[in-house]
Amino acid sequence: MTSLFDTLKLGDLELKNRVIMAPLTRMRSGQPGNIPHALNAEYYAQRASAGLIISEATQISQQGQGYPATPGIHSPEQVAGWKLVTDAVHKAGGKIFLQLWHVGRISHSSHQPNGGVPVAPSAITPSGMVFTADWKQLPYEPPRALENSELAGIVADYKKAAQNAKDAGFDGVEVHGANGYLLDQFLQDGSNQRSDNYGGSIENRARLLLEVTDAVAEVWGKGRVGVRLSPYGTFNDMSDGDPIALFTYVLEQLSARQIGYAHLIEPRSTSAGGNDAVLEEAPSTSALFRKSFKGVFLSAGGYTRENALEVVEKGEADAVVFGRLFISNPDLPERLKANLPLNRYDRATFYGGAEKGYTDYPFAAEKAA
Ligand code: 8OZ
């Protein structure tokens, strides 16, 4: 029987365990310029006992930014900053992928080049509030629908960012196709009402995600590319008329491409980073989608020690992705293995700030000392 603490082959990599650190937005990059710095390197290195670290969502371009102080991977200074992070993680014996991010309509003109309006598949304003560049919360502005002729440029931005990630010393990349950002906005019909070859049918709505996946696989090789998806996610005002058909198609396409892994957020965690709600009666991704993807399958979303051990033992997922518990427990794999008590996380320090709630959560050994 496979255990959460067994090694896992991921393409040509071997992960030392199946406890994966989720991509976690923390809004603590160096300012100005959204540049990773020494504090970020320390935070990630503290968590190097994960089988794999997936970096926080990282904008591929200035247009792709939607929150203050999230890091980028489009300037030489950002590449140099990320090199501090990857060196520190590798020195501590860890592995780290970069998550490639374009927020689409989940932005504000204060983040955009020349103060333009945010871009989207269609000019549909999401409900809810945006974080401006100076940390104010305001209602969303109406986005502008991208021209068909602009989409090749966005694919090229992803490819350049994937190359930058390679230059920065990452072990691979994850395409953020989840949680209501640009690629998910194209996938789901609540946000995509285009009438060109990127809208309408499922094949058309999946086109941009698949083009991006192919472009970054040209840089990295297919085995070093993962894709994160959130079927049923409602975070960022998302909806789709037929999520099973849509995500079955997407996973079959990704399976045929033999990418390194598919990373799915469980439907029970519909609100992603938004809050702690868990819908226990929701169907599981393994029941809905596992058969559509033949490769390594990562599952995220409100896991406890007990159900994480169980899904891997049952073979319903190859590895389990932990977010909030990895924020508050830098040594989470060891704690889960030895069934040690877990530090509680403090939601008030998730976004922005410095060391507090970031690099100051104690390791189990420290606490005992
Ligand atoms: C919480 C706050 C800001 C961004 C995601 C990148 O949900 C995020 C995010 C989460 O994928």
Side-chain angles (χ1 to χ4, degrees), residues 25 27 57 67 99 101 176 178-179 181 228 235 272-274 351:
T25 290
M27 304 185 204
Y67 300 83
Q99 196 193 46
W101 191 32
H176 193 345
N179 297 345
Y181 300 106
R228 190 176 215 214
F235 186 55
Y351 308 118

Side-chain angles (χ1 to χ4, degrees), residues 32-36 72 74-83:
N34 304 312
I35 300 165
H74 53 90
S75 76
E77 295 76 17
Q78 291 163 350
V79 174
W82 278 119
K83 188 85 174 63

Side-chain angles (χ1 to χ4, degrees), residues 36-58:
H37 57 130
L39 181 66
N40 309 132
E42 181 185 350
Y43 160 78
Y44 281 111
Q46 285 177 341
R47 288 157 180 79
S49 63
L52 177 68
I53 295 170
I54 304 165
S55 84
E56 64 205 278
T58 299

Side-chain angles (χ1 to χ4, degrees), residues 25 27 34 58-59 61-71 101-112 118 129-133 136 140 181:
T25 290
M27 304 185 204
N34 304 312
T58 299
Q59 57 265 5
S61 61
Q62 190 53 51
Q63 186 192 66
Q65 182 171 3
Y67 300 83
T70 54
W101 191 32
H102 188 308
V103 298
R105 67 183 184 169
I106 304 301
S107 186
H108 181 263
S109 49
S110 59
H111 299 293
Q112 292 296 308
M129 304 286 265
V130 66
F131 262 115
T132 67
K136 287 201 187 71
Y140 284 100
Y181 300 106

Side-chain angles (χ1 to χ4, degrees), residues 73 78-80 82-84 86-87 163-170:
I73 186 78
Q78 291 163 350
V79 174
W82 278 119
K83 188 85 174 63
L84 299 176
T86 61
D87 282 347
Q163 182 61 52
N164 287 345
K166 205 167 194 187
D167 296 344
F170 282 92

